[in-house]
Amino acid sequence: MSRIIGLISGKGGVGKSTTAINLASALQNLGKTSIVVDGNLDTPNVGILLGSPVVDFHLHHVLKGRKGIGGAVYLHDSGLEFVPAGLGVMEMKGLNYAKLGRELKKLDHDYVLVDGPAGLGHDVKELVKAC
Protein backbone atom coordinates (compact mmCIF):
# COMPACT_ATOMS: atom_id res chain seq x y z
CA MET A 1 0.00 0.00 0.00
CA SER A 2 1.35 3.40 -0.99
CA ARG A 3 1.95 6.22 1.42
CA ILE A 4 0.38 9.31 -0.18
CA ILE A 5 1.93 12.63 0.85
CA GLY A 6 0.60 16.01 -0.25
CA LEU A 7 2.99 18.93 -0.45
CA ILE A 8 0.83 22.01 0.05
CA SER A 9 1.16 25.61 1.20
CA GLY A 10 -1.11 28.60 1.40
CA LYS A 11 1.48 30.57 -0.56
CA GLY A 12 2.92 29.97 -3.98
CA GLY A 13 6.61 30.00 -4.86
CA VAL A 14 7.80 28.32 -1.67
CA GLY A 15 9.31 25.24 -3.33
CA LYS A 16 6.54 22.63 -3.29
CA SER A 17 7.33 21.29 -6.77
CA THR A 18 11.08 21.29 -6.20
CA THR A 19 10.65 19.56 -2.85
CA ALA A 20 8.33 16.91 -4.31
CA ILE A 21 10.79 16.09 -7.11
CA ASN A 22 13.86 16.08 -4.85
CA LEU A 23 12.13 14.05 -2.13
CA ALA A 24 11.04 11.46 -4.70
CA SER A 25 14.59 11.29 -6.03
CA ALA A 26 16.02 10.87 -2.52
CA LEU A 27 13.53 8.10 -1.73
CA GLN A 28 14.47 6.40 -4.98
CA ASN A 29 18.14 6.57 -3.99
CA LEU A 30 17.20 4.86 -0.72
CA GLY A 31 15.67 1.97 -2.66
CA LYS A 32 12.05 3.04 -2.30
CA THR A 33 9.69 3.35 -5.23
CA SER A 34 8.24 6.83 -5.58
CA ILE A 35 6.22 8.88 -8.01
CA VAL A 36 5.44 12.60 -8.24
CA VAL A 37 1.91 13.59 -9.19
CA ASP A 38 1.29 17.19 -10.25
CA GLY A 39 -1.85 18.00 -8.28
CA ASN A 40 -1.58 21.68 -9.12
CA LEU A 41 -4.27 21.68 -11.79
CA ASP A 42 -4.32 25.46 -12.40
CA THR A 43 -0.61 26.15 -12.76
CA PRO A 44 1.26 22.84 -12.99
CA ASN A 45 5.05 22.77 -12.87
CA VAL A 46 6.20 19.16 -12.47
CA GLY A 47 6.12 18.35 -16.20
CA ILE A 48 7.91 21.60 -16.99
CA LEU A 49 10.61 21.01 -14.38
CA LEU A 50 11.16 17.45 -15.64
CA GLY A 51 11.40 18.50 -19.29
CA SER A 52 8.01 17.22 -20.44
CA PRO A 53 5.69 20.24 -20.57
CA VAL A 54 3.40 18.77 -23.24
CA VAL A 55 2.38 15.11 -23.10
CA ASP A 56 -0.34 13.01 -24.72
CA PHE A 57 -2.11 12.10 -21.48
CA HIS A 58 -2.03 13.85 -18.13
CA LEU A 59 -3.86 14.18 -14.83
CA HIS A 60 -6.60 16.36 -16.30
CA HIS A 61 -7.52 13.50 -18.65
CA VAL A 62 -7.62 11.14 -15.68
CA LEU A 63 -9.95 13.43 -13.71
CA LYS A 64 -12.24 13.70 -16.74
CA GLY A 65 -12.47 9.91 -16.91
CA ARG A 66 -10.70 9.60 -20.28
CA LYS A 67 -7.91 7.37 -18.97
CA GLY A 68 -6.78 5.68 -15.76
CA ILE A 69 -3.85 7.19 -13.91
CA GLY A 70 -1.53 4.39 -15.06
CA GLY A 71 -1.80 5.75 -18.61
CA ALA A 72 -0.54 9.15 -17.51
CA VAL A 73 2.69 7.96 -15.84
CA TYR A 74 5.92 9.12 -17.48
CA LEU A 75 9.54 8.19 -16.85
CA HIS A 76 12.22 10.87 -16.60
CA ASP A 77 15.77 10.09 -17.79
CA SER A 78 16.83 9.94 -14.13
CA GLY A 79 14.44 7.03 -13.53
CA LEU A 80 11.92 9.18 -11.65
CA GLU A 81 8.29 8.47 -12.47
CA PHE A 82 5.77 11.31 -12.61
CA VAL A 83 2.22 12.20 -13.60
CA PRO A 84 2.08 15.67 -15.14
CA ALA A 85 -0.97 17.91 -15.31
CA GLY A 86 -2.20 19.70 -18.43
CA LEU A 87 -1.17 23.25 -19.22
CA GLY A 88 -4.18 24.47 -21.19
CA VAL A 89 -6.90 26.66 -19.70
CA MET A 90 -9.52 24.58 -21.51
CA GLU A 91 -8.29 21.52 -19.61
CA MET A 92 -9.95 22.90 -16.47
CA LYS A 93 -13.49 22.23 -17.69
CA GLY A 94 -15.26 19.15 -16.40
CA LEU A 95 -12.73 17.99 -13.82
CA ASN A 96 -13.95 15.54 -11.18
CA TYR A 97 -11.74 16.45 -8.19
CA ALA A 98 -13.36 13.75 -6.07
CA LYS A 99 -11.84 11.12 -8.40
CA LEU A 100 -8.29 12.09 -7.38
CA GLY A 101 -8.16 9.98 -4.22
CA ARG A 102 -9.38 6.82 -5.97
CA GLU A 103 -6.84 7.26 -8.75
CA LEU A 104 -3.91 7.94 -6.41
CA LYS A 105 -4.67 4.69 -4.58
CA LYS A 106 -4.18 2.80 -7.85
CA LEU A 107 -0.50 3.76 -7.99
CA ASP A 108 1.71 0.94 -6.77
CA HIS A 109 4.66 2.80 -5.25
CA ASP A 110 6.05 3.02 -1.75
CA TYR A 111 5.50 6.79 -1.86
CA VAL A 112 3.14 8.93 -3.92
CA LEU A 113 4.14 12.58 -3.61
CA VAL A 114 1.46 15.02 -4.73
CA ASP A 115 2.59 18.54 -5.59
CA GLY A 116 -0.35 20.71 -4.61
CA PRO A 117 -1.54 24.13 -5.63
CA ALA A 118 -1.06 27.25 -3.56
CA GLY A 119 -3.91 28.57 -1.46
CA LEU A 120 -6.73 27.00 0.47
CA GLY A 121 -9.38 26.65 -2.23
CA HIS A 122 -11.62 23.77 -3.25
CA ASP A 123 -8.83 22.01 -5.16
CA VAL A 124 -6.54 22.04 -2.11
CA LYS A 125 -9.31 20.68 0.12
CA GLU A 126 -9.91 17.82 -2.32
CA LEU A 127 -6.19 17.09 -2.47
CA VAL A 128 -6.00 16.93 1.34
CA LYS A 129 -8.93 14.48 1.34
CA ALA A 130 -7.20 12.39 -1.31
CA CYS A 131 -3.99 12.17 0.70
Side-chain angles (χ1 to χ4, degrees):
M1 183 173 184
S2 299
R3 181 167 185 166
I4 303 171
I5 300 172
L7 290 97
I8 59 171
S9 171
K11 183 179 180 325
V14 297
K16 295 179 300 293
S17 302
T18 303
T19 300
I21 291 168
N22 286 325
L23 181 55
S25 180
L27 288 165
Q28 185 177 346
N29 287 337
L30 291 172
K32 303 293 184 184
T33 59
S34 63
I35 187 168
V36 178
V37 177
D38 198 338
N40 186 345
L41 302 173
D42 294 333
T43 53
N45 287 307
V46 171
I48 294 169
L49 293 172
L50 293 175
S52 299
V54 179
V55 294
D56 292 334
F57 300 103
H58 46 70
L59 188 59
H60 286 80
H61 293 131
V62 173
L63 297 180
K64 291 180 181 183
R66 293 184 189 160
K67 191 171 223 29
I69 198 161
V73 173
Y74 292 86
L75 183 64
H76 184 263
D77 291 341
S78 67
L80 181 68
E81 290 184 284
F82 66 101
V83 176
L87 294 173
V89 173
M90 296 305 291
E91 300 290 353
M92 297 302 298
K93 290 185 179 181
L95 295 179
N96 180 359
Y97 288 96
K99 191 173 184 173
L100 181 60
R102 292 188 304 271
E103 292 296 326
L104 291 176
K105 289 177 184 172
K106 293 178 184 177
L107 294 169
D108 186 27
H109 296 74
D110 295 323
Y111 292 91
V112 176
L113 304 172
V114 187
D115 177 30
L120 298 171
H122 173 71
D123 50 351
V124 175
K125 291 176 186 175
E126 289 297 328
L127 185 127
V128 169
K129 285 183 204 175
C131 293

